Amino acid sequence: MNSNYYAVIMAGGVGSRFWPVSKKSFPKQFHDMLGSGQTLIQKTYSRLKKIVPEENILVLTNSLYEDLVKEQLPKITQNQIVLEPAMRNTAPCILLAALKIQKENSDALMVVAPSDHWIEDEDAFTRNLQTAYDACQREELLMTLGIKPTFPNTGYGYIQYKDEKISAVKKVLKFTEKPDYATAKSFLAEGNYAWNAGIFIWSVKAITKAFEEFMPEMYQLFVEGIEKLNTEKEQAFLEENYAKAENVSIDYGIMEAENVCVLPADFDWNDLGSWGSLHKELPHDENDNVVINAKLYLENASGNIIRTQKDKVVAIDGLKDFIVVENKDVLLIFPKEKEQEIKKIREIIQAKFGEELG
């Protein structure tokens, strides 16, 4: 294990498209969404500890989820949990983590990874991460792992890169937000595009320098509290100042710098952003149904994803391409083709029946 390797797990999201299983009080990263025996955050942690010393893994999360992190990752110490007092986008939390790590080890290299992704070939992930660490050790790079697209997906961002054969690491030419189908299809035809997985690798020197140049106000806000970071005064400083940070993604500004590179990855990947994406990754029966936890009787049913509490008996007849999900308080029966509307339905339910249901 290289003591200069660090990892930051981002675990502050709500996962609203996985409602009603994922709720604000208990979001998807703390659920065993795949029925694997581990929650998504546990899977992420076990994947990263293959290359990063366990004491160098930080978890960035909302204050609401401190107890869940401690329960599910019992080896994590209090110093490894960074609590965001307010919900912000990825730029503030990444800068905060980088400054905390830099204060402890100025030679550190860090990977930033979401807590809720599905990666089947973890050995390939480890090899790719090692390649990225090595590249960032040699040069002052801002790197991301790109996923080779297998179809024109309109739900992911895309990274265009300079396709030089001499190196596995490619210079980024452009980031594109979620395109329409025709544009996504043209990206695949060109051959030098990757899906943006939101996994970043860099040295703490490179990323803090980039923030100082491209987001000077945010950089100054956090640097003013540098003496308090990694001390008992850190949380009070964050409570007073964190909400002042701009609510902005790391992709804007920072990832437009000249030294941004991408490594097209060798592993299969899914961001598990919706019930439909989960349907693609789990075993199907002969009629394309996916069943999690339920004891099921089906007639004339196909293309459904059905998730219940453990051992719930479910009988379904004449249902096609639906999401059927229940928890203690809510039953959702919803067409898969409208799954992007689940977030809005959740908000309506909250307003009508109470915050605790969302």
Side-chain angles (χ1 to χ4, degrees):
M1 288 287 177
N2 188 324
S3 61
N4 289 335
Y5 290 176
Y6 286 74
V8 176
I9 299 174
M10 292 187 293
V14 176
S16 54
R17 288 182 180 84
F18 273 110
W19 183 82
V21 170
S22 180
K23 300 195 295 184
K24 185 178 179 181
S25 60
F26 204 118
K28 68 173 178 176
Q29 59 268 29
F30 301 107
H31 289 274
D32 179 6
M33 299 300 297
L34 294 160
S36 68
Q38 285 187 303
T39 66
L40 294 177
I41 193 172
Q42 288 172 330
K43 291 282 286 182
T44 303
Y45 180 84
S46 65
R47 185 162 60 241
L48 288 168
K49 75 177 184 178
K50 293 180 179 181
I51 187 171
V52 178
E54 288 189 73
E55 64 272 17
N56 289 357
I57 300 176
L58 277 64
V59 177
L60 281 169
T61 191
N62 191 275
S63 303
L64 293 170
Y65 310 136
E66 180 178 6
D67 290 342
L68 283 170
V69 171
K70 289 177 178 176
E71 176 187 330
Q72 295 197 5
L73 302 176
K75 291 189 177 181
I76 288 278
T77 67
Q78 188 67 49
N79 291 338
Q80 292 170 264
I81 303 173
V82 184
L83 299 174
E84 302 168 87
M87 293 238 180
R88 286 294 179 268
N89 215 311
T90 52
C93 66
I94 288 173
L95 174 58
L96 172 61
L99 289 171
K100 283 174 60 65
I101 293 169
Q102 186 176 39
K103 188 176 179 184
E104 179 179 298
N105 181 352
S106 61
D107 295 323
L109 302 163
M110 58 185 281
V111 57
V112 179
S115 59
D116 52 4
H117 287 181
W118 173 89
I119 295 172
E120 184 171 8
D121 190 344
E122 296 192 346
D123 290 337
F125 171 81
T126 301
R127 289 194 300 272
N128 287 163
L129 183 52
Q130 184 67 65
T131 298
Y133 273 138
D134 291 343
C136 292
Q137 181 75 63
R138 292 191 302 267
E139 298 179 68
E140 195 173 275
L141 301 176
L142 303 176
M143 283 197 62
T144 183
L145 295 183
I147 308 302
K148 296 171 185 175
T150 53
F151 67 100
N153 193 314
T154 58
Y156 297 150
Y158 284 72
I159 305 167
Q160 184 186 22
Y161 55 87
K162 191 173 181 180
D163 195 7
E164 299 168 311
K165 306 300 182 185
I166 56 174
S167 173
V169 177
K170 315 292 186 183
K171 178 175 175 55
V172 168
L173 298 175
K174 184 177 65 175
F175 287 87
T176 301
E177 280 300 299
K178 300 172 183 177
D180 59 30
Y181 182 80
T183 304
K185 197 172 178 182
S186 72
F187 288 170
L188 264 69
E190 288 185 50
N192 63 328
Y193 281 82
W195 287 333
N196 186 356
I199 302 171
F200 305 103
I201 306 95
W202 40 54
S203 68
V204 290
K205 293 175 184 174
I207 190 59
T208 53
K209 181 178 177 181
F211 269 101
E212 186 174 13
E213 181 177 353
F214 295 104
M215 294 186 182
E217 290 184 13
M218 187 182 295
Y219 178 79
Q220 195 57 42
L221 175 68
F222 285 106
V223 164
E224 286 178 3
I226 196 75
E227 291 184 2
K228 298 173 183 176
L229 298 185
N230 302 341
T231 75
E232 69 280 355
K233 297 179 180 179
E234 175 181 306
Q235 198 58 35
F237 168 76
L238 295 179
E239 294 284 350
E240 183 179 347
N241 293 283
Y242 194 85
K244 299 174 186 175
E246 186 180 0
N247 188 7
V248 62
S249 164
I250 192 73
D251 295 68
Y252 292 95
I254 297 295
M255 297 311 288
E256 300 293 333
E258 282 295 313
N259 58 336
V260 176
C261 294
V262 61
L263 174 66
D266 295 327
F267 51 84
D268 292 330
W269 167 90
N270 193 314
D271 74 342
L272 292 184
S274 65
W275 288 110
S277 64
L278 189 64
H279 182 270
K280 294 173 185 174
E281 303 304 340
L282 292 174
H284 300 63
D285 69 12
E286 64 275 13
N287 294 310
D288 199 31
N289 297 296
V290 167
V291 181
I292 307 168
N293 295 335
K295 292 180 176 178
L296 204 60
Y297 172 79
L298 291 176
E299 285 283 349
N300 304 314
S302 63
N304 303 295
I305 180 165
I306 300 144
R307 188 188 194 278
T308 67
Q309 298 181 75
K310 190 70 174 173
D311 293 332
K312 175 68 66 74
V313 175
V314 179
I316 290 177
D317 189 351
L319 203 61
K320 181 179 180 181
D321 293 333
F322 265 72
I323 299 162
V324 180
V325 181
E326 64 105 42
N327 66 7
K328 180 170 63 73
D329 302 307
V330 178
L331 169 64
L332 175 75
I333 304 172
F334 213 75
K336 277 198 311 189
E337 65 181 15
K338 296 174 68 176
E339 67 173 355
Q340 295 304 316
E341 297 179 26
I342 289 176
K343 184 176 182 179
K344 184 172 71 174
I345 294 296
R346 167 184 167 265
E347 292 167 357
I348 293 170
I349 295 295
Q350 277 184 301
K352 189 170 184 176
F353 298 112
E355 176 75 22
E356 68 278 1
L357 296 180

